[in-house]
Amino acid sequence: MLNKLLTFFLFLLSTLCFSQQFRVNGIVNDTFNKPIAYTNVVILNKGNSEVVKGVTTNEAGVFLIENIDKGDYTIKISFLGFEDFLKEISLNQDLDLGLILLKENFEELDGVKIVAKRPTVKRLVDRLVFNVENSTLSNNNVLDVLKHTPGVLVNNEKITVKQSTPVIYINDRRVHLSSNEVQQLLEGTSASNIKSIEVITNPPAKYEAEGGAVINIVTSKNIVAGYNGSVFGNYKQGSEYPKYSAGTSHFFKGKKLNTYLNYSISPRKDYRNNNEFVNFLDEGETTSSWETDYKRVRETTNQNINANIDYEINDNNSLGFSSSMLIAPRENTQTDINSITDVFSNTKVLDSTFITDNEKVDETFNLAFTLDYIHKFKKEGEKLLISAHYTNYDFSSFQNVDTDYLFPDRSLIRNNRFQTFSSQEIKLYTGQLDYELPVGDSGLFEAGFKISNINSESILNQFNFENGESEQDFENSDTFLYDETNYAVYYSYSQDWDSWSLKLGLRTELTNIKGNSLSTNTKNDKKYGKFFPSLHVLNRLNDNNEIYFNYNRRIYRPRYSELNPFKYFLNDNSYLTGDPNLQPQIDDVFTLGYTFNQKYTFEAYYRYESDPTIEILFQDNDENILKYINTNIDRSISYGLDFTTYTSIINNWDLYVLSSYFYYDNQFFAIESDNALFTTKQWSLYGQIINYFSFLKDKSLTADVSYLYISSLVDGPSNLSERSSLDISLRKTLWNNRASISVGVVDVFNTLNFTQTTKYLNQDVLLNSRIENRLITFGFNYKFGNFRLTNNKKEIDLKERDRLE
């Protein structure tokens, strides 16, 4: 009886509070019964067509609009490339519209000229979505789109988000290449099929705990059967050498089969000229000084092949196979280094000179294959994903180093030669299971499990020459075996309300490591478990303003090459070495943001890094040797305030602004200074302003003018000088947007070069770096076939591959 009274009381209370307000929900799919995410759903006043309420569908195509007063309305559902759905409704109770199918608007796509629109920015509870489909950016390559994405900075061969290197995903599949290789891949990929760029500064539990922020590149879904393709190319002329990239993409969609193939090649030469100054010290007094003129020419011809095949077995089951291959053959991957070092005494008198010629040849094969299975349950949105992956990474390198030692009058004192043969072979196996379950009208539960095993063999053989005969240097030769097994499990839950959104999760990872240096018989076994919580909260204050808070914990495991303990000599007087005892870096990141008038976002953040792994240059003042050591520093702290906006000034002029004022504090142990604890810290500023101009009636001619400024900043024990860049580019689309050509200049005034100063305790090194920053660029893109099609491109979601180099 008591239970019945309680139930009646609760029912009566809810009726009194909400008797005049109702909700409307439904699911939006295309004619192939595929969900359409981010579809606009609005409730219009039937009398004056004013917007009463509005939402967008989630990834499963589901929408829910709550707190609607009783009355007569029109519901409008719209998405680019589809016919609008309009329906008159009369609300006197909650309304479930069920499944709504949007039909493709063929006339809009084929019968009229497409006029590019400007990109739009939308914030979700755990990410920022930069929509670029059919925008002024869609005729660029993907790297160019990233340069214009809010919160992303592309500079000096690096992609950064909040002063850290992000992890690149494509359709939630991770790209596992080095930073330079990623940039070449993205530069060789057309953006014509890109739907949006998702910037996830604090990734939720579904994403790997490895790495920092995530940039997820989302491609549009194939919605029309048929074939399309594209060819594209870029040419860049630096101060010394040209750089090329070209490629082609092909898409085919049948009733059940969906295929994608992309090939790109990037032949290029890159020139670097460094001037290095080292003062060797003894109790604060300079004993000798080195001045080095370093010149390097690196030639590469990386080839990338990406393929994907999806087969729909039936409405509830599908199978997918994807592959990603990087091929860098030996005959086109070589580096020539020439350095001249003058050695001065403590009285600044020239004592001697040594000239080093280093000829290096590399070869890389990075082959990855993934098999996916997806099962959809009867309940809408519930699905199971199973994935198996294999990677084979094979790297080999040979270098020949000749050094002549000369008296001040340039007569020969002696010469020295050594050769190094090195290789690394890595095999990676992973299995993964993910489960998604919609809860109620706007909730989603996600859970998953993953196991991975990495087996690595690194070999280094060094040979010294005496009287023209080679002899192996066993003290500097080694074979290092490394085995790592990682177990991960996660769960997360998200819920959307009328003005609030919540997403929380927990990821747990257990890692088992075994390392063995055969030459020294040194074994290193360790096991550790870590927890990675995440929390995302978003409050939409009104239609124009919102506030959000994010927190998550991340891990950076050492790259496999950083764990190798042997010395890799760059020349007679400098070497690179790793440490098998490196600890993983753990980051805790907090972010608080506010968006005003849907355009202006202010974001405060705090990041604490425990045991960061960095490569530090130390000078050995006793042996006059430079050591590049991969080591853990004690900790790093950074916090700052960011501002971004992407807004229209007038009809033909849009403006993007990104700025950050931040504090960076590094604390490390000075290995060559009795392990003294030392701190470097500084406030710094970077800012980027991009102006987008469009001309002609159809806006087919565009101009971008961009200015970047980075103040001096600290990086580990070093201080980097300020730098800036002015970039200008023009682009013309042709033949009803089927083709485009572009021309531009990067770093017009050649002001991106910098100086790196490392000066503390008994360390004193100055480096002036000059590379080919100023470039004249040309590009083209041509689309053929039924270019309404969009792709099913996938990449491989495996954090371990990112540590291969």
Side-chain angles (χ1 to χ4, degrees):
M1 184 66 179
L2 179 61
N3 289 337
K4 292 182 178 180
L5 289 174
L6 181 59
T7 302
F8 176 78
F9 175 78
L10 292 174
F11 172 79
L12 180 62
L13 180 62
S14 61
T15 302
L16 291 173
C17 293
F18 302 108
S19 59
Q20 297 303 310
Q21 289 192 321
F22 308 101
R23 65 182 186 180
V24 176
N25 65 281
I27 303 170
V28 180
N29 284 4
D30 60 23
T31 54
F32 291 93
N33 209 31
K34 303 295 184 182
I36 307 177
Y38 308 122
T39 302
N40 292 319
V41 183
V42 293
I43 300 293
L44 305 175
N45 189 301
K46 188 176 180 180
N48 54 23
S49 296
E50 290 184 355
V51 176
V52 178
K53 293 275 187 178
V55 296
T56 59
T57 59
N58 63 16
E59 292 288 348
V62 176
F63 69 88
L64 171 67
I65 306 177
E66 296 180 299
N67 301 330
I68 310 172
D69 293 333
K70 179 180 179 180
D72 296 328
Y73 302 95
T74 299
I75 185 168
K76 179 180 179 181
I77 302 175
S78 60
F79 190 76
L80 182 67
F82 292 85
E83 296 179 2
D84 290 348
F85 173 88
L86 295 170
K87 182 180 178 67
E88 293 184 357
I89 59 176
S90 181
L91 278 187
N92 51 29
Q93 62 181 5
D94 292 342
L95 177 62
D96 183 357
L97 293 173
L99 181 63
I100 300 166
L101 297 180
L102 294 189
K103 297 180 180 179
E104 186 186 359
N105 191 341
F106 290 97
E107 180 179 358
E108 176 185 339
L109 292 174
D110 285 338
V112 300
K113 180 174 289 187
I114 297 175
V115 178
K117 60 186 179 65
R118 75 182 187 92
T120 59
V121 180
K122 179 178 180 63
R123 178 164 295 283
L124 303 181
V125 64
D126 61 347
R127 68 197 63 194
L128 182 143
V129 181
F130 185 51
N131 294 299
V132 298
E133 189 171 32
N134 289 330
S135 75
T136 54
L137 296 177
S138 61
N139 284 309
N140 295 350
N141 60 57
V142 179
L143 184 62
D144 286 334
V145 174
L146 284 186
K147 292 178 181 178
H148 302 282
T149 301
V152 179
L153 186 64
V154 180
N155 171 61
N156 196 29
E157 300 182 351
K158 290 183 179 180
I159 301 172
T160 59
V161 174
K162 293 191 182 303
Q163 297 81 55
S164 66
T165 302
V167 183
I168 305 297
Y169 285 70
I170 298 179
N171 291 336
D172 276 332
R173 299 295 184 188
R174 188 166 181 172
V175 179
H176 300 274
L177 299 170
S178 70
S179 297
N180 288 338
E181 292 165 351
V182 164
Q183 292 207 45
Q184 290 184 32
L185 171 66
L186 298 181
E187 189 175 34
T189 304
S190 171
S192 59
N193 298 290
I194 301 300
K195 176 183 178 182
S196 62
I197 306 293
E198 298 179 348
V199 182
I200 313 171
T201 54
N202 292 337
K206 177 180 179 179
Y207 290 90
E208 302 291 345
E210 173 77 28
V214 165
I215 296 177
N216 185 33
I217 301 167
V218 181
T219 62
S220 300
K221 297 179 180 179
N222 273 349
I223 55 176
V224 184
Y227 164 81
N228 79 359
S230 66
V231 292
F232 43 87
N234 293 284
Y235 168 80
K236 297 180 180 180
Q237 179 60 56
S239 58
E240 299 289 333
Y241 299 104
K243 304 143 202 338
Y244 308 90
S245 64
T248 180
S249 296
H250 301 270
F251 313 88
F252 173 78
K253 180 176 177 63
K255 184 176 181 180
K256 289 183 174 293
L257 190 67
N258 197 2
T259 64
Y260 163 81
L261 175 67
N262 172 265
Y263 171 80
S264 64
I265 184 170
S266 304
R268 57 187 293 147
K269 281 188 176 181
D270 293 287
Y271 175 77
R272 177 183 288 273
N273 183 196
N274 292 346
N275 293 114
E276 189 176 65
F277 304 89
V278 183
N279 291 320
F280 290 98
L281 307 173
D282 182 17
E283 295 184 355
E285 299 294 329
T286 301
T287 58
S288 66
S289 299
W290 290 5
E291 296 182 5
T292 301
D293 183 13
Y294 170 98
K295 296 178 180 178
R296 186 194 73 184
V297 177
R298 178 166 175 78
E299 179 182 2
T300 58
T301 308
N302 289 354
Q303 301 177 63
N304 287 279
I305 304 172
N306 294 279
N308 187 67
I309 300 175
D310 287 329
Y311 180 74
E312 188 175 302
I313 302 171
N314 52 44
D315 290 342
N316 296 323
N317 298 277
S318 62
L319 197 64
F321 173 78
S322 58
S323 65
S324 175
M325 291 174 276
L326 167 69
I327 301 172
R330 184 181 303 276
E331 56 269 19
N332 299 114
T333 309
Q334 58 188 24
T335 304
D336 295 320
I337 301 173
N338 175 266
S339 63
I340 301 174
T341 301
D342 291 327
V343 180
F344 295 90
S345 67
N346 57 354
T347 58
K348 301 299 182 181
V349 175
L350 180 63
D351 181 71
S352 61
T353 299
F354 57 90
I355 301 174
T356 300
D357 288 308
N358 184 327
E359 296 179 346
K360 187 169 180 282
V361 179
D362 299 334
E363 185 172 66
T364 303
F365 295 96
N366 192 346
L367 311 178
F369 307 94
T370 300
L371 185 65
D372 294 307
Y373 169 74
I374 301 176
H375 173 72
K376 297 179 180 179
F377 296 91
K378 292 182 179 180
K379 182 176 180 179
E380 186 68 33
E382 182 183 7
K383 59 184 177 180
L384 178 70
L385 302 89
I386 302 174
S387 178
H389 174 82
Y390 169 72
T391 285
N392 185 79
Y393 174 85
D394 192 348
F395 171 81
S396 60
S397 176
F398 165 78
Q399 70 168 356
N400 180 84
V401 183
D402 289 301
T403 305
D404 291 335
Y405 294 86
L406 310 174
F407 288 111
D409 62 1
R410 297 286 175 164
S411 60
L412 182 66
I413 302 175
R414 63 182 179 89
N415 53 35
N416 187 60
R417 167 182 285 187
F418 70 87
Q419 293 179 344
T420 303
F421 298 86
S422 62
S423 65
Q424 183 174 41
E425 184 174 4
I426 299 173
K427 295 184 183 299
L428 167 64
Y429 307 87
T430 71
Q432 184 171 339
L433 184 148
D434 299 282
Y435 174 72
E436 298 179 8
L437 174 66
V439 179
D441 294 321
S442 60
L444 180 65
F445 173 78
E446 298 174 283
F449 173 80
K450 179 179 178 181
I451 181 172
S452 61
N453 176 260
I454 306 101
N455 184 273
S456 170
E457 180 183 56
S458 300
I459 300 174
L460 175 68
N461 291 315
Q462 182 161 305
F463 295 85
N464 298 329
F465 282 76
E466 291 289 341
N467 300 320
E469 298 292 330
S470 66
E471 181 177 343
Q472 186 168 358
D473 181 358
F474 289 100
E475 290 187 0
N476 292 303
S477 299
D478 189 21
T479 297
F480 179 66
L481 305 179
Y482 179 84
D483 186 87
E484 176 185 308
T485 303
N486 189 71
Y487 306 90
V489 62
Y490 78 90
Y491 74 88
S492 72
Y493 179 77
S494 61
Q495 180 75 48
D496 292 322
W497 294 275
D498 189 32
S499 58
W500 287 87
S501 294
L502 171 69
K503 189 166 190 175
L504 51 85
L506 178 66
R507 189 179 187 94
T508 304
E509 296 191 355
L510 176 65
T511 304
N512 188 12
I513 295 174
K514 296 180 180 180
N516 185 8
S517 174
L518 298 185
S519 65
T520 61
N521 197 29
T522 301
K523 296 183 179 181
N524 178 44
D525 297 345
K526 66 175 65 174
K527 181 185 294 185
Y528 59 86
K530 302 290 183 181
F531 295 93
F532 303 96
S534 61
L535 171 66
H536 304 80
V537 182
L538 171 68
N539 180 20
R540 289 170 286 273
L541 304 175
N542 50 50
D543 290 342
N544 294 318
N545 301 279
E546 57 192 17
I547 188 171
Y548 55 92
F549 172 79
N550 302 327
Y551 163 75
N552 78 343
R553 173 172 287 185
R554 308 291 289 169
I555 187 172
Y556 293 80
R557 294 183 178 88
R559 295 179 181 272
Y560 310 125
S561 61
E562 296 171 347
L563 297 166
N564 293 340
F566 46 76
K567 300 174 183 177
Y568 182 87
F569 278 85
L570 306 172
N571 55 50
D572 289 352
N573 304 287
S574 63
Y575 65 80
L576 171 68
T577 186
D579 182 359
N581 296 308
L582 287 176
Q583 300 298 312
Q585 171 184 332
I586 303 295
D587 288 6
D588 288 281
V589 185
F590 303 83
T591 305
L592 177 65
Y594 176 70
T595 299
F596 170 71
N597 199 26
Q598 294 186 339
K599 296 180 180 179
Y600 310 102
T601 297
F602 298 87
E603 201 168 79
Y605 71 92
Y606 175 88
R607 181 171 64 240
Y608 184 92
E609 304 172 3
S610 177
D611 295 320
T613 299
I614 63 174
E615 180 184 283
I616 298 181
L617 171 61
F618 293 104
Q619 62 187 67
D620 185 332
N621 292 296
D622 295 327
E623 301 294 333
N624 284 14
I625 291 178
L626 299 178
K627 305 176 181 179
Y628 296 85
I629 300 177
N630 289 293
T631 184
N632 288 118
I633 67 174
D634 184 52
R635 58 109 178 108
S636 291
I637 297 173
S638 63
Y639 49 85
L641 179 65
D642 295 352
F643 169 74
T644 58
T645 184
Y646 198 99
T647 186
S648 178
I649 305 300
I650 57 176
N651 184 40
N652 294 319
W653 178 16
D654 296 324
L655 178 68
Y656 165 59
V657 177
L658 166 66
S659 65
S660 180
Y661 185 57
F662 61 96
Y663 179 78
Y664 209 41
D665 181 333
N666 298 290
Q667 187 169 281
F668 63 96
F669 294 99
I671 295 177
E672 294 296 328
S673 306
D674 297 325
N675 279 327
L677 192 62
F678 194 78
T679 301
T680 57
K681 51 190 176 182
Q682 181 177 329
W683 280 96
S684 301
L685 169 71
Y686 72 75
Q688 185 176 36
I689 300 176
I690 306 177
N691 295 274
Y692 305 97
F693 302 98
S694 58
F695 307 97
L696 305 180
K697 184 177 181 180
D698 60 358
K699 298 185 178 182
S700 62
L701 177 62
T702 61
D704 297 346
V705 180
S706 170
Y707 179 75
L708 169 69
Y709 173 77
I710 305 175
S711 72
S712 63
L713 53 86
V714 294
D715 182 18
S718 302
N719 183 282
L720 306 180
S721 65
E722 67 176 10
R723 69 202 93 158
S724 62
S725 174
L726 176 66
D727 302 344
I728 301 174
S729 66
L730 296 170
R731 181 177 297 273
K732 179 70 172 72
T733 58
L734 306 166
W735 307 322
N736 195 20
N737 209 34
R738 277 190 177 268
S740 68
I741 55 175
S742 63
V743 62
V745 181
V746 178
D747 193 13
V748 174
F749 300 110
N750 200 27
T751 50
L752 265 180
N753 290 308
F754 62 91
T755 297
Q756 180 175 339
T757 304
T758 306
K759 190 170 184 177
Y760 64 94
L761 301 177
N762 63 350
Q763 305 289 296
D764 190 356
V765 181
L766 174 65
L767 175 69
N768 290 326
S769 176
R770 294 189 297 277
I771 62 177
E772 296 178 283
N773 291 310
R774 181 161 52 191
L775 302 167
I776 299 175
T777 66
F778 300 91
F780 77 90
N781 179 41
Y782 177 73
K783 295 174 281 189
F784 49 86
N786 182 2
F787 73 101
R788 293 192 316 271
L789 287 175
T790 50
N791 70 46
N792 66 326
K793 181 176 181 181
K794 292 184 181 179
E795 289 294 339
I796 298 157
D797 183 13
L798 295 162
K799 65 184 177 61
E800 293 83 4
R801 281 176 48 84
D802 195 45
R803 299 158 59 205
L804 295 181
E805 61 171 328

